[in-house]
Amino acid sequence: MPAQLAQISQPVTPPQYSLAGLSPLIILAVGAFLLIMFRSVIKRLPATAERFATIAVGPTTVVAAWIVGGLVGDEMPLANVRADIGTLWFAVLFALVLVVAALFVGTMRVGFDAIFTSGTGLVALAAIAELWNDHHRATWPAEFGERPVGLLGNPVRAIGDQFSFDGFSLVIAGVILSAVVLCALLLDEYLRRERIDGPEMYVLMMLSAAGGVVMAGAGDLIVLFLGLETLSISVYIMAALHVRRSESLEAGLKYFVLGAFSSAFLLYGMALVYGATGSLNLHEIRLYLASVVILKDAMLLAGLAMMLVGLGFKVAAVPFHTWTPDVYQGAPTPVVAFMASAVKAAGFAALVRVFVVTFLPYWPDWTPAVAVLAMLTLLVGAVLAIVQRDVKRMLAYSSISHAGFILVGVEAASARGTAAVVFYVAAYAFMVIGTFGVLTVVSGPGDRKTNLDDLDGLAARRPALALALTIFLLAQAGVPLTTGFVAKFEIIGAAVEVRSFWLAVVAMVSAVVSAFLYLRIVLSVYLGSPADDSESSDDAPVERVHPAAGLAIGIALAVTIGFGLIPGPIDELATEAIPQLFAAGQR
Amino acid sequence: MGTLLTNNVLANSIFAAEAGSAGGTFPVLSAIVVTPMIGALVLLFLPNNRPEYFKQIAFLFSAAVGAMSVWVLTDFSTAGAAEFQLTDHHTWIESLGISWSLGVDGISLWLVILTGLIFPLTIVGVDAEHGPKAYYSWLLVLEAGCMGVFLALDLFAFFTFFEIVLVPMYFLIGKWGHGERAYAATKFFIFTMSGSALMLVGILSLAFLNQAETGVLTFDLVQLANSQAIATTTARWIFLSFALAFAVKVPLFPLHTWLPDAHTNAPTAGSVILAAVMLKLGTYGFLRFGIYLFPEAAVWFAPTLVTLGTIGIIYGAIAATMQRDLKRLVAYSSVAHLGFIIIGSFAINTEGLEGGLLQMVNHGLSTGALFLLVAMIYDRRHTRMISELGGLQKPAPKLAGVFILVTLSSVGLPGLNGFVGEFLTLLGAFAAHRWWAVVAASGVILAALYLLWAYQRVFHGPAEGANAEITDLKLREGLLLAPFVVGIVFMGVYPKPVIDRMEPAVDALIAHVEEHVPDFSEPVADVIIFDDHGGSDSSEDGH
């Protein structure tokens, strides 16, 4: 304890009032604004114009990523490369890249909106990468030897401590933006198939992602709430945007009502915390709690409980999960992919920021509650998933069970636990986008073919898609050589490190139960015979996947397998992102 | 935050140590694991319109692995068999102290060679009934996984391979199997995964508790085995989680129910590999990761495990006697045979451990061959029901000859391999758990009963109807069975070269147990009659 007090009594580093940290946010907002302005001027591009515009957007993205990266960081990206091979060669190379990108985009038959959105996502990712590089490389070059943990790169604080763009928020924002890029690619063909016109989906997705980025970097409870609402309201509308499908409308309404309900809980909890501590700023609350012993802490604990309920709704923890199956089943499949990846990542980021970081001194009070939540979430999610017949519903319950796994990492309330949460969230985002990506393609017009029987004989009709789906499902089951396994490994490691053995055992038992569910889907993909059109399946030409969706699924697959084989890079990212969160000591 | 610092330092120091030890030689063990994976990838990207090449390419890759495993045998130094040889270290996940670490010693050597030889034989000898591309890819992935389990010296790597073998076997049973294949495949997957899920918790607990005691986070087998820093009771719990995973895989008596289903419904190649290689993952795990990592707990649990093993011997024998399906009979006989391996291993003395190890190889040879023979009968008669077969000896004398040889090897006839192994396990078990050994010995008689009775019903008597018209062994089938027969006879007549290479490792394991368990000394029978006369033809020759 004395060591902690000594650390706390150190003068706090004066905040840097830099707007650089906000750049991902600004890029997303500007992107959304530009898209909606452009589309409101030109309702529908003629085919040729669309083609040219699309080709133009690709290279523009690269240029923009380069420029933005340069603006954000202290150096231009690729500066070393340029110095090595000379400016001229670099320019030639760059032009070549642009040409290839343009040709590639041109052959992809992808719509303007999708390219624009994923381009914006990529630009924001470039900004994040640059922030990350400055953040880590500028303050701590590898050749300096040991990393001074306490001093590790000051978080880029913006607008008077309202934001703290530290490593943690950058990695979570990276996950959210990757989800934007991939989901935009998935949406392209889907929207055309479902005849949903207009750029609303993309605009809302960018806004929602902006909300998620704010949540990940929130340094203040009000900012956190602001981000959460921006994120949620956009997603409510996205869930209901398939207006000709009553399930979609129902999903949107249900999500909205229950979401608003949970927001109320969260807000009331914040109010109580403010009453107990006298501040809404997470940093100040942390200092206050570490230095003051509150004798009558009932109000604070009530506030914590309320916030846990509110955030529990967002991450779909049992018993606050009841909206999930209906919403996942009803919402458009690419939107579900976005919800399961980005929204979940943002929700857990908030949970970590509020509970693990800010209320760390109170861990003996809240970890048992989180442990119970985690156990319930794990078991209920896994068991209820098995009795479903609809694949989207199954995956909804499986995502609940995954949330339980991540809660196990939160429960650890340690640096390792938080790193495991980051790893899991990142790994799960790609797995789940891949899974729902495949479902988007196979579910057919109107999202009708999502029953388990509809997947029968998929392997015969579309072998590549079936293989991809199998790998995603096995990864979710935690089979080694995929990121899913490493994620589970890190979570269980974090749990046993703080001696939560029973929680670890429950988690693994639920993993086995879930494995049964994934095997059921795999079985029907490989062994089931298509019920109705049995003769057509033999000689029907193998249907081709739209290139954009194929690209998204391919990227997700590459990440899932690649970082499953060599988990080092993501693990390093997750581990390096954490220390400054715990600069004031840990459990 | 302190942990992060120490991790970094630790990882660096390990890395530095590795850099010194790694020579410039060809990493043959890594190649053994990686080559089949590459083969599977190559198959995956081959065009679908040339199916005739799939088998040849798969054979090529698996034969390369076989050749490399033989190379390992020639490179293996008998004198240093107690040490891990040909080791290969690379950092895998730095922050967790995980490395890609492979090595071979006297315990794993023969299993590696068995795996290396069984796979090419199965690939070349048994054709895919349909979907050859995926079939051979999965077989190659399976080979990589099995090799990885036998070679891994890092708990993370070990667990990775231990789990990954489930996937190809699941697909082999589920897609190319017969009968209730979906049920059998799912049961197989869920049973084995339930066991290993808890082992994952065990592995991580071991590593982190070890870190709490020693300050070093590592998953390295040798380091963990030598530090023995964990409290006794905790170690017993962790051993239990390991033992559960291995007991399902072996399978030990109450957890065996997946085995008959999996065996019966699997395609021939699946059955052969399941019996010859995959069941050994469990028994090998008991030796390498059970006894070696948790000597105290292993000694403490030994009576329980020996009891279960003995029950398995008797139960497997009785269940086998009552089977009407020939393949199911062989499957239940596996339960009995693996019981012998368990009672030998948990005798924790030289005879028992060597016998257990020998029996692992023997069971691979004889049961693998039996499954091939059953498949050959099935090819001719399209039934495996014993009641529908009969008198096959007359139309197919060669088939009958090989069948009786393999059956006798499985029964444990002196002069064939099964005898040496069973004799040693019983000898060891007799010294450690006398009465269990007496009960287990009756299992040998029961084995003779059910196997010879089955042989009698299938091959003797008058051949009627379709039974009279079956063809004898073809050249191809004979060539496929020849290596098994040679192995069976060779190891029965002259097991010394095999045992010589095991013995230092086995003795080192026993010394390790004696060092770390205070009141333990190698159980030796008060009177070993055979020892004085040199009757135990093998174990003493190595000195």
Side-chain angles (χ1 to χ4, degrees):
Chain A
M1 257 326 127
Q4 274 191 19
L5 280 176
Q7 271 173 333
I8 291 154
S9 58
Q10 280 171 7
V12 184
T13 8
Q16 306 165 359
Y17 295 100
S18 155
L19 286 179
L22 291 180
S23 55
L25 204 59
I26 295 167
I27 292 163
L28 281 172
V30 170
F33 180 73
L34 282 181
L35 184 59
I36 204 151
M37 289 309 287
F38 182 71
R39 276 303 189 186
S40 53
V41 174
I42 305 169
K43 286 283 181 223
R44 194 162 201 55
L45 288 172
T48 46
E50 162 122 21
R51 197 180 162 91
F52 281 118
T54 310
I55 293 176
V57 169
T60 319
T61 303
V62 182
V63 177
W66 191 46
I67 293 171
V68 166
L71 287 180
V72 171
D74 299 339
E75 288 179 85
M76 300 289 265
L78 304 174
N80 291 335
V81 181
R82 208 172 30 158
D84 287 345
I85 59 176
T87 314
L88 182 66
W89 283 110
F90 181 74
V92 172
L93 199 74
F94 193 62
L96 259 173
V97 169
L98 289 190
V99 171
V100 171
L103 287 175
F104 183 60
V105 168
T107 53
M108 283 221 340
R109 292 181 283 116
V110 183
F112 173 81
D113 297 342
I115 290 284
F116 185 86
T117 309
S118 43
T120 310
L122 282 178
V123 174
L125 268 179
I128 283 180
E130 207 48 45
L131 278 173
W132 172 271
N133 280 349
D134 285 352
H135 182 74
H136 283 266
R137 230 172 262 157
T139 53
W140 188 75
E143 57 268 28
F144 284 8
E146 280 311 316
R147 177 188 297 270
V149 175
L151 298 173
L152 170 69
N154 292 315
V156 183
R157 294 207 181 103
I159 326 183
D161 266 4
Q162 301 297 299
F163 288 95
S164 52
F165 283 94
D166 46 20
F168 175 75
S169 75
L170 288 179
V171 176
I172 295 287
V175 173
I176 294 171
L177 291 169
S178 310
V180 169
V181 173
L182 296 184
C183 291
L185 291 175
L186 283 181
L187 270 172
D188 181 52
E189 165 68 6
Y190 178 83
L191 293 184
R192 223 170 297 151
R193 186 180 81 196
E194 304 293 330
R195 298 185 210 296
I196 301 174
D197 289 335
E200 292 89 348
M201 203 69 115
Y202 299 103
V203 173
L204 287 169
M205 195 161 73
M206 281 189 270
L207 286 179
S208 166
V213 172
V214 170
M215 267 172 96
D220 191 290
L221 285 174
I222 289 297
V223 175
L224 185 84
F225 186 74
L226 204 68
L228 185 94
E229 285 303 291
T230 315
L231 171 100
S232 305
I233 291 173
S234 312
V235 176
Y236 301 151
I237 307 172
M238 282 165 78
L241 213 57
H242 198 324
V243 282
R244 285 186 298 280
R245 220 174 142 241
S246 59
E247 293 96 327
S248 175
L249 295 175
E250 186 196 326
L253 189 64
K254 213 168 239 173
Y255 196 15
F256 171 65
V257 172
L258 285 171
F261 190 54
S262 77
S263 296
F265 267 100
L266 187 66
L267 211 52
Y268 195 44
M270 287 176 180
L272 290 178
V273 167
Y274 177 71
T277 62
S279 174
L280 281 169
N281 189 293
L282 295 176
H283 195 62
E284 282 169 21
I285 294 176
R286 173 82 169 89
L287 289 179
Y288 181 79
L289 291 181
S291 53
V292 178
V293 177
I294 305 175
L295 286 178
K296 291 184 177 172
D297 56 1
M299 183 150 77
L300 181 71
L301 292 182
L304 274 184
M306 293 269 189
M307 290 182 72
L308 190 59
V309 172
L311 290 172
F313 262 107
K314 282 294 155 217
V315 300
V318 178
F320 318 117
H321 68 289
T322 42
W323 58 271
T324 320
D326 295 335
V327 172
Y328 275 35
Q329 190 183 11
T333 315
V335 175
V336 179
F338 184 73
M339 291 194 310
S341 53
V343 177
K344 202 154 257 186
F348 275 107
L351 209 55
V352 165
R353 258 199 199 286
V354 173
F355 282 89
V356 180
V357 180
T358 309
F359 292 106
L360 190 67
Y362 272 74
W363 71 265
D365 292 307
W366 61 260
T367 46
V370 175
V372 171
L373 274 190
M375 280 199 196
L376 284 176
T377 310
L378 283 162
L379 291 177
V380 172
V383 171
L384 288 188
I386 289 179
V387 297
Q388 307 300 323
R389 289 295 305 169
D390 185 283
V391 177
K392 275 169 89 179
R393 260 186 115 75
M394 279 181 176
L395 291 172
Y397 278 107
S398 105
S399 95
I400 292 174
S401 172
H402 281 288
F405 248 100
I406 307 176
L407 279 175
V408 173
V410 175
E411 194 270 345
S414 63
R416 189 177 293 285
T418 310
V421 168
V422 172
F423 193 104
Y424 205 113
V425 161
Y428 182 63
F430 286 96
M431 288 189 280
V432 83
I433 289 176
T435 316
F436 281 112
V438 175
L439 275 188
T440 308
V441 178
V442 299
S443 61
D447 272 351
R448 267 187 223 96
K449 293 203 233 161
T450 57
N451 207 298
L452 191 58
D453 301 332
D454 296 324
L455 287 178
D456 278 354
L458 183 70
R461 280 176 283 146
R462 302 179 137 181
L465 267 187
L467 184 66
L469 181 63
T470 308
I471 291 173
F472 288 128
L473 290 174
L474 289 177
Q476 291 201 39
V479 168
L481 304 186
T482 61
T483 46
F485 169 66
V486 186
K488 285 199 164 62
F489 190 84
E490 302 224 342
I491 289 277
I492 300 291
V496 300
E497 193 193 34
V498 296
R499 308 283 193 276
S500 307
F501 295 112
W502 287 110
L503 203 51
V505 169
V506 170
M508 285 320 288
V509 168
S510 99
V512 175
V513 179
S514 308
F516 182 71
L517 153 85
Y518 302 123
L519 288 187
R520 256 185 90 189
I521 304 179
V522 170
L523 269 184
S524 77
V525 166
Y526 277 95
L527 303 182
S529 50
D532 43 350
D533 47 1
S534 48
E535 72 268 29
S536 69
S537 71
D538 286 334
D539 46 8
V542 177
E543 301 156 75
R544 301 210 61 88
V545 181
H546 188 265
L551 183 67
I553 296 170
I555 293 172
L557 195 64
V559 170
T560 302
I561 298 265
F563 289 114
L565 285 170
I566 306 159
I570 296 194
D571 179 62
E572 229 166 74
L573 217 60
T575 317
E576 283 184 16
I578 302 312
Q580 43 178 251
L581 282 183
F582 291 94
Q586 56 170 301
R587 171 178 173 177
Chain B
M1 58 181 163
T3 54
L4 282 166
L5 261 175
T6 41
N7 289 350
N8 258 344
V9 175
L10 165 79
N12 288 340
S13 64
I14 289 174
F15 194 70
E18 283 160 19
S21 66
T25 49
F26 177 65
V28 60
L29 299 186
S30 292
I32 283 181
V33 178
V34 174
T35 308
M37 287 280 190
I38 296 172
L41 274 183
V42 168
L43 280 181
L44 200 61
F45 288 106
L46 279 182
N48 268 327
N49 53 6
R50 303 302 294 274
E52 65 271 22
Y53 287 127
F54 294 147
K55 181 175 181 173
Q56 293 164 11
I57 287 169
F59 175 70
L60 211 66
F61 276 96
S62 64
V65 176
M68 282 191 281
S69 66
V70 173
W71 181 19
V72 169
L73 178 62
T74 58
D75 256 22
F76 191 82
S77 130
T78 310
E83 301 288 318
F84 289 109
Q85 302 182 22
L86 304 164
T87 49
D88 195 6
H89 281 275
H90 300 282
T91 305
W92 198 353
I93 306 175
E94 204 172 328
S95 73
L96 289 168
I98 290 167
S99 58
W100 169 272
S101 174
L102 305 175
V104 62
D105 74 344
I107 291 176
S108 51
L109 175 71
W110 293 103
L111 294 169
V112 169
I113 291 162
L114 179 73
T115 313
L117 297 182
I118 290 271
F119 270 91
L121 284 176
T122 341
I123 286 174
V124 78
V126 188
D127 282 331
E129 285 169 22
H130 54 92
K133 183 181 191 175
Y135 175 84
Y136 291 115
S137 301
W138 284 129
L139 273 177
L140 286 173
V141 174
L142 187 60
E143 179 169 24
C146 292
M147 283 295 195
V149 172
F150 291 137
L151 294 172
L153 296 184
D154 180 280
L155 290 182
F156 179 87
F158 159 72
F159 187 83
T160 298
F161 293 123
F162 194 78
E163 280 279 271
I164 204 76
V165 293
L166 299 187
V167 180
M169 194 38 105
Y170 170 79
F171 278 103
L172 284 174
I173 298 175
K175 201 170 168 201
W176 288 272
H178 316 280
E180 295 262 320
R181 52 192 182 155
Y183 168 77
T186 309
K187 192 172 178 182
F188 162 77
F189 196 101
I190 296 295
F191 257 72
T192 19
M193 193 179 171
S194 325
S196 48
L198 293 184
M199 182 166 71
L200 181 68
V201 180
I203 288 176
L204 281 157
S205 307
L206 174 66
F208 280 103
L209 291 173
N210 185 62
Q211 183 200 20
E213 299 294 330
T214 63
V216 180
L217 180 60
T218 177
F219 286 83
D220 186 84
L221 173 70
V222 181
Q223 279 188 45
L224 287 173
N226 286 333
S227 80
Q228 294 293 333
I230 298 172
T232 310
T233 323
T234 322
R236 283 180 190 162
W237 279 105
I238 301 177
F239 175 81
L240 196 63
S241 76
F242 278 63
L244 193 65
F246 300 142
V248 173
K249 204 86 162 185
V250 167
L252 264 183
F253 160 63
L255 305 169
H256 65 281
T257 57
W258 63 267
L259 180 85
D261 288 321
H263 263 318
T264 314
N265 299 315
T268 307
S271 303
V272 172
I273 286 163
L274 199 58
V277 180
M278 279 186 67
L279 300 186
K280 311 305 171 321
L281 304 184
T283 50
Y284 170 80
F286 266 125
L287 294 186
R288 173 74 81 227
F289 299 92
I291 298 177
Y292 184 48
L293 274 179
F294 308 99
E296 199 280 337
V299 171
W300 198 78
F301 276 105
T304 318
L305 290 164
V306 168
T307 310
L308 291 178
T310 314
I311 296 175
I313 293 173
I314 305 296
Y315 171 86
I318 294 172
T321 316
M322 296 188 293
Q323 296 308 316
R324 283 174 293 186
D325 182 331
L326 200 54
K327 204 170 177 186
R328 225 175 157 82
L329 185 146
V330 180
Y332 272 107
S333 84
S334 283
V335 177
H337 281 117
L338 286 149
F340 279 106
I341 301 178
I342 292 298
I343 64 163
S345 304
F346 279 92
I348 320 190
N349 51 22
T350 314
E351 293 81 15
L353 282 168
E354 281 177 5
L357 274 171
L358 265 182
Q359 202 53 4
M360 288 187 211
V361 181
N362 294 338
H363 177 261
L365 290 174
S366 54
T367 309
L370 271 180
F371 275 118
L372 284 174
L373 286 162
V374 171
M376 288 169 190
I377 294 175
Y378 182 80
D379 282 347
R380 292 165 166 76
R381 284 286 289 107
H382 300 288
T383 179
R384 293 189 305 254
M385 288 297 143
I386 298 175
S387 56
E388 293 174 28
L389 301 166
L392 298 187
Q393 195 179 23
K394 288 190 189 73
K398 286 183 218 154
L399 182 67
V402 178
F403 199 101
I404 190 69
L405 181 87
V406 175
T407 305
L408 289 174
S409 139
S410 193
V411 169
L413 184 80
L416 297 178
N417 62 348
F419 172 73
V420 185
E422 275 182 7
F423 180 78
L424 283 174
T425 52
L426 286 173
L427 193 65
F430 187 77
H433 312 275
R434 176 166 304 182
W435 293 106
W436 290 127
V438 171
V439 177
S442 66
V444 182
I445 304 165
L446 287 173
L449 173 75
Y450 63 79
L451 280 168
L452 291 179
W453 191 35
Y455 176 80
Q456 186 195 348
R457 284 179 290 169
V458 172
F459 285 93
H460 287 179
E464 283 159 4
N467 286 336
E469 283 149 27
I470 68 162
T471 48
D472 205 354
L473 278 187
K474 296 185 205 88
L475 179 65
R476 198 186 109 165
E477 291 168 331
L479 286 178
L480 173 62
L481 288 169
F484 289 93
V485 172
V486 169
I488 285 169
V489 174
F490 179 80
M491 284 185 55
V493 175
Y494 190 58
K496 186 172 177 298
V498 180
I499 291 178
D500 277 354
R501 286 173 175 74
M502 288 174 184
E503 188 148 317
V506 166
D507 286 340
L509 182 60
I510 292 167
H512 177 80
V513 176
E514 282 180 337
E515 182 192 343
H516 291 290
V517 185
D519 304 325
F520 178 83
S521 62
E522 182 184 349
V524 184
D526 304 333
V527 185
I528 297 182
I529 304 162
F530 307 102
D531 210 26
D532 302 337
H533 305 292
S536 83
D537 51 354
S538 43
S539 64
E540 309 308 319
D541 296 349
H543 292 296

